[in-house]
Amino acid sequence: MAGKRNVLKEHLAESAAVLRERLGDRAPEVGIILGSGLGPLAERIEDAAFVPFGEVPHMKTSTATSHVGRFVCGRLGGRMVIAMQGRLHGYEGNSAQEVAYPVWLMHELGVGALITTNAAGAINESYQVGDFCVMADHLNFTGRNPVAGTEPDGIAFRFFSMLDAYDPALRSLAHAVAEEAGIRVQEGVYLGLLGPSFETPAEIRAFRGWGADTVAMSVVEEVIAARHVGMRVLGVSLVTNMACGVEGASPNDVEVLEVAATRGEDFCRLITGVIERM
Ligand code: HPA
């Protein structure tokens, strides 16, 4: 009996075929997702091939400010990497599966480890604007899961553990690199929500009670997709602001990008240093 068609699987194979052709002999091992204001890391990638998301069949494109919306594949820190210069968010109107799609696509290309990065607000009052925060774990407050549905079940088994979703060895490595480079790094629990409104002070107080240290509008769906197919994950936030109501803060997107611009050099040193020693 012929198996049931799996459209997601077919789409991934078609997307991967187009990307492979554009990448030539580049075979990426590490995937990087560059969050708001953190895109300039992609300019450090050597011998790069650039593929706009819109030129990959079945991929959505980025619409968020500062998210260029292209794959950049080449050498960084002595490894072959594929970076997403800009990501897909739920708040742009993308479904959870559309947000997860490029992660599954990177896996299809042979990528075994994902470094996902973002700008985040700090709920933890001991954090400072400009700190980096290694994600120890997350709270998925998007209300969605990319693996829900029958098609992802055809890519990899539906049920999987989220224990140590953020790889303990990669987290230790990030701390070691940061310490040697003199870069301030926290480690905490990240809470991801859909956005695009920033949170209310009441929500931030509740999230603190649940054990969240940072908050933003991305990452969790990507990490669930990566763990679904067994990729190792490192998550790194840049604290661009205190969360709404913390020390009277009222976050806005301009401040997020301004702070990201001032921390770009340390961000590049941290991520490149990790890749060198992975
Ligand atoms: N909340 C949500 N998303 C964010 C924030 C925030 O405070 N800062 C940067 N992205």
Side-chain angles (χ1 to χ4, degrees):
M1 200 175 75
K4 195 178 167 304
R5 267 189 80 189
N6 184 317
V7 175
L8 177 61
K9 220 168 163 169
E10 288 173 15
H11 283 183
L12 285 166
E14 285 164 19
S15 300
V18 168
L19 256 181
R20 270 194 209 100
E21 197 177 316
R22 296 285 295 269
L23 301 185
D25 58 6
R26 298 173 189 81
E29 313 156 76
V30 179
I32 311 170
I33 303 179
L34 295 169
S36 296
L38 302 173
L41 176 67
E43 270 119 55
R44 311 278 175 108
I45 297 174
E46 291 164 11
D47 180 32
F50 300 91
V51 186
F53 296 160
E55 294 175 18
V56 178
H58 315 301
M59 269 279 299
K60 289 303 199 75
T61 62
S62 298
T63 65
T65 328
S66 94
H67 290 252
V68 177
R70 63 181 181 182
F71 288 107
V72 182
C73 183
R75 291 204 84 78
L76 185 72
R79 308 287 291 272
M80 192 55 73
V81 305
I82 184 162
M84 289 175 67
Q85 194 174 14
R87 61 153 48 84
L88 305 174
H89 303 85
Y91 67 68
E92 296 170 85
N94 297 305
S95 70
Q97 273 179 26
E98 286 166 342
V99 169
Y101 190 84
V103 175
W104 285 322
L105 179 54
M106 289 192 266
H107 178 255
E108 182 88 10
L109 291 176
V111 170
L114 177 70
I115 302 177
T116 181
T117 70
N118 72 345
I123 296 175
N124 187 319
E125 289 159 304
S126 73
Y127 291 10
Q128 292 172 16
V129 170
D131 284 352
F132 293 96
C133 184
V134 172
M135 296 175 207
D137 203 344
H138 78 214
L139 294 160
N140 176 8
F141 201 71
T142 64
R144 324 190 303 174
N145 192 307
V147 184
T150 53
E151 303 236 319
D153 192 34
I155 303 179
F157 189 56
R158 169 174 285 162
F159 300 108
F160 52 97
S161 173
M162 289 293 284
L163 179 69
D164 288 336
Y166 296 84
D167 191 273
L170 292 180
R171 281 154 53 194
S172 303
L173 177 56
H175 285 288
V177 170
E179 190 172 336
E180 284 167 30
I183 299 171
R184 227 176 105 100
V185 169
Q186 310 283 357
E187 175 153 324
V189 173
Y190 167 78
L191 186 144
L193 22 71
L194 198 57
S197 52
F198 287 99
E199 307 69 42
T200 66
E203 285 167 342
I204 294 300
R205 285 192 299 273
F207 296 161
R208 183 179 296 120
W210 294 355
D213 297 294
T214 55
V215 60
M217 306 172 192
S218 58
V219 169
V220 288
E221 290 160 319
E222 299 158 357
V223 172
I224 290 168
R227 292 307 301 149
H228 174 227
V229 292
M231 294 164 89
R232 297 171 75 199
V233 173
L234 175 68
V236 178
S237 296
L238 168 63
V239 173
T240 53
N241 57 280
M242 300 313 283
C244 188
V246 180
E247 298 161 10
S250 176
N252 67 80
D253 59 315
V254 174
E255 168 191 44
V256 167
L257 296 181
E258 278 172 4
V259 172
T262 67
R263 300 297 289 137
E265 191 54 43
D266 276 352
F267 177 72
C268 290
R269 287 164 66 215
L270 177 60
I271 301 300
T272 308
V274 167
I275 292 169
E276 270 166 13
R277 288 162 55 178
M278 271 172 87

